[in-house]
Amino acid sequence: MISVNSLKKFGLLGSLYISQFMPFWFLYQTLPLFMRQKGVSLETIGLLQLLALPISLNFLWSPLIDRYGFTRWGHYRFWIICFQLLIAAMTAICAWLSVENNFTILLICITLISLFSASQDIATDALAIGLLNPHERGVGNAVQIVGNSLGSVISGGGMLILFNYWGWTASLQTLALIMVLALVPILWYRENVQKKQISVNWQSEDLTFQSKVKLPVSYFQTFINFCRHPGMMNWLLILVLYSSSSHMAATMYRPLLVDIGLSLSDIGWLQGVVGTSAAAIGGIVGGLLISAWGKKRSLFLFSLLWATTILTYLFPAFGFTSLPVIYLVAISPLFSIGMMSTATSTLMMDNSSPETPGTDYTLQSSVSIFASLGAAAISGVVANAVGYRGIFSISLAIALMSVWMIFRYFNVSSMSLDTSINR
């Protein structure tokens, strides 16, 4: 039975995970649909994925967030509050920019929102690692998946539907207000901060800018030490294959929906609400099954289901576009991805040290995201060359490679990574 203390932890983390990427996902998902309606090529739409590049590179500054903070506010709490306020401010600015007349400035603002969201994510994940006990991580990561999914439902689904009635300015102003209101739980939270061990030379009368814990002797050594963990390179390869397959297929599925005649409102409902809700339910189911089955077994079984659901993308590509088929494709891959994401996030937490949680977790997450962005960015070029059927077939082949890797290194061979992954 989940204790009251655990529920408080899950509630706090849920509020953070719901809000942190909402403005970015709204802009990130809306622009490609606008551009496709105006006849922009698949190659150009694919390159828009690079707007999320800061999310894949945030490991580069994660050691700084682990090391420094205004500790009177709470080490990671300080960073979360600052970055969320910056996201709200940039979202409010975007509300007054025109897509047609200020496109370049808008892209810069979206990139900054991506940068601030990625930085807040470092602090939130580090806070979660310290906040959750090992036995709480399965459910805790289900909360993460549900929170991210709910944020995506609100911003990429609900807001996209309301956009038809409210328009650009009102929609973005609403998102900026939501970001500010979402700070209430973290403002009430009091973070336990370790005593100072390393100080930087400057301080003001009231605040000292100091480190949280003693880190490795050099910036680069932090990453080197992590990658030297036994079995870690195999684990990172699994993350690369899984992420590449998922995002290559998903990126090209949205233009396919436009090409078969669905409206923005239809796509917002189908992908942003129905599909993302399926991912949230998958995350909950995955978190419960991890507790019952164990982490390695769950990861392997979830991966089998996920590879099977990749097949459904081929149905509309072959002309099967009836409503039941479209709903099947909207629900089944995202449900299995929700389960997979809970399993991979739990293992990523287990492989993060208490001394550098933000860096270790973010490095694993960045490898996954970088693979996603790379696959998504080239997906348009590949789809233009081999068609929708070809791109979905390639995604399926990569998914099967990922399943084999999981089976090989988690179920057959005696992998050294087992020291940090139970069962």
Side-chain angles (χ1 to χ4, degrees), residues 69-83 85 127 183 186-193 204 206-210:
F70 289 103
T71 53
R72 177 171 292 188
W73 290 11
H75 185 91
Y76 295 115
R77 177 175 174 268
F78 158 74
W79 289 116
I80 291 168
I81 294 171
C82 287
F83 286 128
L85 288 174
L127 184 73
L183 281 172
I186 193 68
L187 290 175
W188 284 99
Y189 171 69
R190 291 296 176 264
E191 180 184 354
N192 291 325
V193 181
S204 68
D206 298 317
L207 297 171
T208 300
F209 198 73
Q210 63 185 30

Side-chain angles (χ1 to χ4, degrees), residues 145-212:
I145 302 304
V146 172
N148 286 333
S149 298
L150 184 56
S152 183
V153 167
I154 296 171
S155 59
M159 292 303 299
L160 188 57
I161 295 171
L162 292 174
F163 175 82
N164 289 327
Y165 304 97
W166 292 359
W168 177 266
T169 301
S171 297
L172 286 170
Q173 287 176 337
T174 301
L175 283 173
L177 178 61
I178 290 173
M179 294 300 292
V180 174
L181 294 177
L183 281 172
V184 172
I186 193 68
L187 290 175
W188 284 99
Y189 171 69
R190 291 296 176 264
E191 180 184 354
N192 291 325
V193 181
Q194 297 182 26
K195 292 182 179 180
K196 175 178 69 175
Q197 294 188 26
I198 306 172
S199 293
V200 181
N201 291 329
W202 75 268
Q203 62 180 6
S204 68
E205 182 177 351
D206 298 317
L207 297 171
T208 300
F209 198 73
Q210 63 185 30
S211 72
K212 177 175 178 284

Side-chain angles (χ1 to χ4, degrees), residues 16-33 45-58 83-84 86-92 94-95 106-121 148 151-157 159-160 168 171-176 178-179 247 254 369 372-373 376:
L16 296 175
Y17 283 121
I18 288 171
S19 63
Q20 63 183 357
F21 285 109
M22 281 180 58
F24 176 73
W25 288 134
F26 173 76
L27 294 164
Y28 186 68
Q29 295 180 44
T30 302
L31 279 183
L33 299 177
I45 292 175
L47 290 175
L48 279 178
Q49 307 299 316
L50 295 177
L51 289 172
L53 195 60
I55 300 176
S56 68
L57 297 177
N58 60 350
F83 286 128
Q84 187 134 331
L86 287 170
I87 296 167
M90 293 307 303
T91 304
C94 287
L106 182 63
L107 290 181
I108 294 172
C109 289
I110 296 174
T111 303
L112 289 175
I113 290 174
S114 174
L115 174 65
F116 298 145
S117 298
S119 301
Q120 189 216 29
D121 191 45
N148 286 333
S152 183
V153 167
I154 296 171
S155 59
M159 292 303 299
L160 188 57
W168 177 266
S171 297
L172 286 170
Q173 287 176 337
T174 301
L175 283 173
I178 290 173
M179 294 300 292
H247 285 77
R254 281 179 173 263
I369 296 170
S372 302
L373 291 179

